[in-house]
Amino acid sequence: MPFNLPIALTWLRVAAIPLVVAVFYLPNNWLTPFDKNLTATIIFVFAAVTDWLDGFLARRMKQESAFGQFLDPVADKLIVAASLLVLLNMDRVQVWVALIIIGREITISALREWMALLGAGKSVAVHMVGKLKTTAQLVAIPFLLLNDTLFGWLNCALVGTWLIWIACFLTLWSMFYYMKKALPQLVDKAE
């Protein structure tokens, strides 16, 4: 297993997952509810920035690896799923949104594994629509975590809700895109 700066950043993102969750379980005399929201938001934004930075550095420093290509999307999916479950627990996101986003991740991960077994893994390689989906999720979730008013007028809960619905639409779109790409191989192997 290689270890370099991009992979270290990805591991930092994995380490941030329990921190985002744990912040909300601290006693209120340690952190106020607002401080919990702000701390979780800062941790999540840091993790989201490392998502971009680790890929950029891996390409720039020519340190791309198969392990990094495996760990990066796993870290993304885990932090999004953990954050959605926290938001669901706090009634800041609807159940159907969490089910669609988490269900899509499980479905596409299984599809990619199956396609790799069939020797057709490239047909479901990461596409721009998948990157848009991830970006939309990583932008929406901090607004929902913060759940306050910014600059005296920006309602984070409302903005976050609209953005997570857009992310949900992109999540479905990307799932159908990958399923459509895989369908010819699946039909061919089923015969």
Side-chain angles (χ1 to χ4, degrees):
M1 175 175 68
F3 191 79
N4 52 39
L5 182 57
I7 288 176
L9 288 172
T10 305
W11 278 117
L12 274 176
R13 191 158 69 256
V14 171
I17 296 165
L19 296 177
V20 169
V21 175
V23 163
F24 291 105
Y25 291 95
L26 293 173
N28 284 340
N29 59 348
W30 288 15
L31 288 176
T32 66
F34 172 78
D35 291 336
K36 290 177 184 181
N37 290 343
L38 181 61
T39 302
T41 302
I42 290 168
I43 294 168
F44 187 91
V45 168
F46 168 78
V49 169
T50 67
D51 180 37
W52 170 82
L53 188 59
D54 65 9
F56 172 79
L57 290 175
R59 288 184 295 278
R60 180 71 150 230
M61 299 166 69
K62 297 185 181 356
Q63 294 183 340
E64 295 173 288
S65 67
F67 181 72
Q69 291 172 352
F70 157 76
L71 186 61
D72 182 67
V74 169
D76 294 342
K77 289 165 181 37
L78 287 174
I79 198 158
V80 166
S83 298
L84 284 172
L85 291 174
V86 165
L87 291 167
L88 184 61
N89 186 53
M90 294 187 298
D91 202 28
R92 295 184 192 175
V93 72
Q94 298 83 3
V95 171
W96 63 268
V97 169
L99 284 172
I100 287 172
I101 292 174
I102 294 170
R104 180 266 186 208
E105 299 306 341
I106 294 167
T107 302
I108 297 305
S109 293
L111 178 68
R112 284 194 172 123
E113 186 175 332
W114 191 17
M115 295 304 288
L117 289 173
L118 297 177
K122 291 191 184 212
S123 67
V124 288
V126 175
H127 186 266
M128 183 54 72
V129 69
K131 291 181 179 190
L132 283 173
K133 176 265 315 171
T134 299
T135 301
Q137 291 172 358
L138 296 179
V139 170
I141 289 172
F143 283 99
L144 294 167
L145 287 171
L146 189 56
N147 196 45
D148 203 350
T149 301
L150 282 178
F151 316 116
W153 60 271
L154 183 63
N155 182 334
C156 290
L158 182 62
V159 171
T161 298
W162 280 99
L163 289 173
I164 202 71
W165 290 350
I166 292 168
C168 198
F169 168 76
L170 291 170
T171 298
L172 287 171
W173 181 15
S174 70
M175 182 178 73
F176 291 126
Y177 172 83
Y178 291 122
M179 297 293 276
K180 182 180 174 188
K181 293 292 280 184
L183 191 59
Q185 287 84 7
L186 296 176
V187 170
D188 183 49
K189 296 295 181 183
E191 294 175 349

